[in-house]
Amino acid sequence: MCVRDCRGLGLAWILVQGGDPTHGMLPVFMLPARDLALGLALWAGPAGASTELGLGADWWVSPEGGGFQLTLALDTPLAKALTIGGRFGAMVLTSPNDFGVPVDLRVSTLPASMGEKVVIRVLDSRATVLSLDNLGLNPDERSAFEALLTHHEGIILVTGPTGSGKTTTLYSAIRTIQSGKTNIVTVEDPVEYQIPGINQVQVDEKAKKSFPAALRAILRQDPDVIMVGEIRDKETAQIAFRASITGHLVLTTVHTNDAPSAVTRLVDLGLEPFMVASALVGVVSMRLVRTLCQNCKEPHTALPEIVRQMGLARFTQDSEITLYQPKGCPQCAQTGYSGRISIMEMLPVTDPLRSLVMKHATATELRNEAIREGMLTMYEDGLRKAVRGITTFEEVLRVTRES
């Protein structure tokens, strides 16, 4: 087994070339790809039950000539755990019940030219939905988000790429709104975590229970709050927005790079600008950055030219700004990072922004107006967290470069 740690990407790459007879393991490439992925996921999940190695990992099993390339996408590489004592092959064949940790697996398979490619996400079925306290929001971000959630009608969008924490944020918002007097219904694909007191609907395309069909049925249930897992097409968008202007608060997600682009994305889907302007309450765009290991992070004083160039003085009252860099220790698997936190930009839709939407404004024009009104971009929020010693500039640049 050959292991290469790609620390800059937060990935551990393991190329399985065959078994190790000294430890009595089977050659791993002899196992079907799906069995291999399931075995790895069931093993890695319980092994990472501590928050440092974490569940919610993605295993990618890609067929290669003579074997498989295995990728574990995780904020903390698991390569060390994989190679200890040659237990890798044995654990693949071990029953998950031996660990006493229940896990849920989300499996996707794709036939490729050299075999079956498998992607599997490991979720801790014991995990509970986080509250806003656990999302790492700054006080101003939390206040703005809670203000959005006080609306009784309208639509709130959470945007970002896959794996950026959108669903976790929506669940946290639902928990904040939840009360014994509020009728909350969700439609999801899939339902990741069960929330007591909430009616959650699983999308099933084969049974003709699509997002639009489920939404139509939900609207006949007199809900107060509706959570839609994702707006993927024009029909879903139209039903969601019509619901939001008829006395329902709708929470949902779209895939865009930043908050202003979510507005233009809705128009591109076929919604009329007047409907977007009248129904949209706010947009939250987010990414996840790795957080520094608090046990081994190393401080250094920021150079004056860096402070001036990046405008860091606005994020602290100290005359000298201390930044931190990763070092690595046994507690963080020698990566220098442990866990992840969100960086985000919060865009409340104001009357000036509504006027711009009605005029078919571009995302750039919307962004400029939002910044003029005081919106901090994701990049600026990342800089603020770097100044506070939570993460590094390199992490902020890595996740915001695409936007």
Side-chain angles (χ1 to χ4, degrees), residues 324-376:
Y324 295 85
Q325 60 189 19
K327 179 183 179 182
C329 67
Q331 189 169 320
C332 61
Q334 302 299 331
T335 65
Y337 295 94
S338 178
R340 293 185 294 177
I341 197 172
S342 62
I343 59 173
M344 58 177 59
E345 56 189 28
M346 202 83 59
L347 175 62
V349 179
T350 60
D351 288 339
L353 284 170
R354 288 191 174 91
S355 298
L356 287 175
V357 174
M358 293 287 287
K359 296 176 183 177
H360 298 262
T362 64
T364 300
E365 292 171 325
L366 294 171
R367 168 173 286 274
N368 290 338
E369 173 61 24
I371 292 174
R372 189 188 69 79
E373 294 180 5
M375 182 188 79
L376 277 183

Side-chain angles (χ1 to χ4, degrees), residues 255-305:
H255 285 269
T256 59
N257 284 336
D258 55 26
S261 297
V263 180
T264 55
R265 167 67 174 157
L266 294 170
V267 176
D268 291 342
L269 278 175
L271 292 178
E272 294 293 336
F274 76 87
M275 180 176 285
V276 176
S278 60
L280 192 60
V281 171
V283 185
V284 179
S285 188
M286 59 193 305
R287 297 286 192 281
L288 291 178
V289 294
R290 293 183 295 171
T291 53
L292 283 163
C293 174
Q294 299 303 305
N295 184 58
C296 66
K297 65 179 184 180
E298 291 186 330
H300 64 92
T301 302
L303 297 174
E305 53 267 32

